[in-house]
Amino acid sequence: MSIDDKENEKKSALQLSRRHTLFGMALGATTLAASSLVRAATSDNGAATLPKDGYDVIIIGAGMAGATAARELGARGKKCLVLEARNRLGGRTWTADIFGQQSEVGGQWVHWYQPHVWAEIKRYGLEIDETPGANPTYGTVLINNKLTNIDPADSFARLDAGMKVFCGDLINAFPRPYDPGFDPSFLKHDDISIAQRLKQINLDITTHTILESFFATAVSGSLETAGMLDQIHWYARADNDMGRLLRACTQYYIKSGTSSLIHSMLDESKAEVKTSTPVRKVEHNASGVIVTAENGDVFKASACVVAMPMNCWNDIQWAPALLPGKVAASKERHVGAGFKLKIKVKGNKGAYQSLAGAGHPVNMVYTDHFYDDHTTLFCMGYPTPGFDYNNKALVLKEVEKLLPDAEVLDTFAYDWTNDPYSKGSWCDYKVGMWSKYGADMRKTEGRVVFAGSDVADGWRGFIDGAIETGLRAGRVTAELLSGKA
Ligand SMILES: Cc1cc2nc3c(=O)[nH]c(=O)nc-3n(C[C@H](O)[C@H](O)[C@H](O)COP(=O)(O)OP(=O)(O)OC[C@H]3O[C@@H](n4cnc5c(N)ncnc54)[C@H](O)[C@@H]3O)c2cc1C
């Protein structure tokens, strides 16, 4: 495929993703991005404003990782340029207006168990709010196609008990979960998928279904391809306590939106930010880096931070070529290919949660907000064969199974997997990926430093992980520039 073909493919995929609405329903997803900072930093005609002496650092990608790296390097007095492909900031976080309500299309939940994002929340004085569905007052589980009532306390207890059986002897495989390299012996178990591990253990059908529902939602993709280690690592991050893990992943969100965090970081960075500037080529040698955008603009710097999703690394021409582990990982992609649908239903449904196991495209439905006359709910899952979440009839049929008698008033989803600048949702490693490519994926290559939630040590696949790697990239790049690295 030629570069031109590739560009055309990207453009058509972008047009597809820009529809923003599922099923052609009215949405009004107003992006709360494009800050005054960006407008000020981008030249009026969009032309390159390359200073004679270039930049200290070019950062590719204005998600949480890129914004953190820019802020860290700015604080060290470095002159930074951030190049962002989309016409908005935030990457896989995106604060928009859905059903007339400020909502998160991508990453949303944060917690004080996640040290990096929590530090940022305190740094910028942001407030948090709660999702009622994280503490449901009633729930159901779909077992053998029959929806059965279940007390949420029983459901959570079964989930924790089932997870302990799932982990087995590996429950202590991550003595330092934020530093998995401290004892890498877990890597010899990287050849087992979640589906295979579930077959090895013996759980009653209810507990099995609840655990499967959790995994399908957590990895946002096929349990056949998802490695079991990532989920054992998730559990270890929450001190092997499912209650803690669920609170970390589903309960609290930034009241002013994730966009407020991104803007705070980039404002503080003083970096020049160019949106709608996809990067096409990165060339580097011992003396510096040349970055070429798809529009032909060329930028020079002493170093570069690549803060793009791993699934997109191969879309750039690299000279010299990327390490083989990075190329292979980007080609295989992480597991995350799922969705976070949002639906609006008639009436007050209260704080509800409903679960379904693998094989069902919608694995979890739970309350976002409830009001006197309507309720908004999240539906999490991944496309199983024959299911297309852009097909309204199919989606409603699946939602009906977990939320019978619901009168659906409106629906929204965003196609992160067909978005050319994410090519997936959040990162969970496929079987073997961690052991085969993990080291290469994290390696600095010459003057190019890699960041992004997909290569985090702690909360990989989360906002926290993105910030962790942005901090690391800031430090490593500054060391490179000072000749220390
Ligand atoms: C639906 C969904 C729900 C989620 N829920 C949660 C949650 O509740 N809590 C949580 O903590 N995390 C959640 N996540 C995960 C979290 O949002 C991500 O892990 C995190 O935001 C990734 O940040 P990042 O900076 O590493 O990458 P990204 O946010 O993907 O940023 C990378 C940037 O690179 C840009 N880019 C790509 N290609 C190019 C190019 N060629 N040139 C220039 N720029 C380029 C992209 O446009 C993007 O802005 C969710 C993600 C999704 C999709």
Side-chain angles (χ1 to χ4, degrees), residues 44-55:
D44 286 346
N45 60 8
T49 52
L50 181 65
K52 276 193 206 99
D53 55 349
Y55 299 88

Side-chain angles (χ1 to χ4, degrees), residues 150-213:
I150 187 156
D151 177 355
D154 181 26
S155 175
F156 291 143
R158 283 173 183 275
L159 186 55
D160 196 56
M163 190 64 189
K164 287 194 162 57
V165 177
F166 181 89
C167 293
D169 291 344
L170 287 175
I171 197 151
N172 297 316
F174 298 96
R176 296 188 188 175
Y178 295 87
D179 181 12
F182 172 71
D183 177 4
S185 56
F186 66 89
L187 286 174
K188 59 179 179 281
H189 303 281
D190 196 22
D191 56 349
I192 302 176
S193 70
I194 292 178
Q196 282 169 326
R197 178 65 187 151
L198 281 169
K199 281 189 194 126
Q200 291 172 352
I201 58 177
N202 206 358
L203 298 171
D204 66 83
I205 180 79
T206 307
T207 307
H208 179 97
T209 307
I210 290 169
L211 195 58
E212 253 192 5
S213 155

Side-chain angles (χ1 to χ4, degrees), residues 57-62 65-67 69-71 73 80-84 271 279 303-307:
V57 186
I58 293 172
I59 294 143
I60 307 177
R71 199 261 320 272
L73 287 159
C80 295
L81 169 67
V82 179
L83 297 177
E84 167 52 48
V279 168
C304 177
V305 172
V306 175

Side-chain angles (χ1 to χ4, degrees), residues 223-378:
L223 303 190
E224 309 287 337
T225 54
M228 70 165 180
L229 284 179
D230 253 40
Q231 285 307 302
I232 295 175
H233 188 216
W234 276 45
Y235 198 45
R237 293 173 212 163
D239 285 337
N240 297 333
D241 179 329
M242 205 37 113
R244 277 185 86 141
L245 181 57
L246 291 174
R247 286 194 291 283
C249 302
T250 62
Q251 189 159 3
Y252 298 102
Y253 59 91
I254 300 171
K255 203 171 179 177
S256 47
T258 53
S259 63
S260 64
L261 175 54
I262 278 282
H263 288 177
S264 298
M265 288 198 270
L266 283 171
D267 274 336
E268 193 182 338
S269 77
K270 304 276 188 291
E272 183 179 341
V273 181
K274 288 180 180 293
T275 51
S276 303
T277 311
V279 168
R280 186 210 311 157
K281 193 172 179 186
V282 175
E283 299 157 279
H284 61 100
N285 59 25
S287 56
V289 182
I290 298 177
V291 175
T292 307
E294 277 190 11
N295 64 8
D297 285 351
V298 176
F299 307 96
K300 291 181 188 161
S302 302
C304 177
V305 172
V306 175
M308 296 161 54
M310 59 172 271
N311 287 359
C312 301
W313 289 338
N314 287 346
D315 296 335
I316 288 192
Q317 290 172 265
W318 302 92
L322 282 183
L323 284 170
K326 284 199 184 78
V327 175
S330 183
K331 190 170 172 213
E332 286 181 28
R333 296 189 181 188
H334 57 69
V335 182
F339 52 83
K340 177 179 151 195
L341 273 163
K342 205 163 169 184
I343 59 170
K344 178 178 176 181
V345 303
K346 200 169 174 184
N348 183 347
K349 298 284 178 195
Y352 174 69
Q353 186 186 71
S354 186
L355 313 172
H360 293 278
V362 177
N363 305 101
M364 192 180 286
V365 172
Y366 64 105
T367 300
D368 168 26
H369 287 291
F370 53 86
Y371 308 89
D372 286 347
D373 61 340
H374 75 274
T375 307
T376 54
L377 299 109
F378 295 110

Side-chain angles (χ1 to χ4, degrees), residues 6 9 16 65 67 114 146 170 172 194 212 225 227 241 345 384 429 462 473:
K6 254 184 154 180
E9 193 181 66
L16 183 82
Q114 298 170 336
K146 190 166 169 272
L170 287 175
N172 297 316
I194 292 178
E212 253 192 5
T225 54
D241 179 329
V345 303
T384 48
Y429 287 163
F462 288 76

Side-chain angles (χ1 to χ4, degrees), residues 60-66 83-86 90-93 105-109 249 277-279 307-309 312 316 340 416 421 425-426 452-453 461-464 466:
I60 307 177
M64 290 288 173
L83 297 177
E84 167 52 48
R86 295 184 173 102
R92 280 171 282 175
T93 58
V105 180
Q108 172 166 357
W109 294 287
C249 302
T277 311
V279 168
M308 296 161 54
C312 301
I316 288 192
K340 177 179 151 195
W416 290 101
Y421 302 121
S425 51
W426 59 90
S453 184
F462 288 76
I463 294 167
D464 189 82

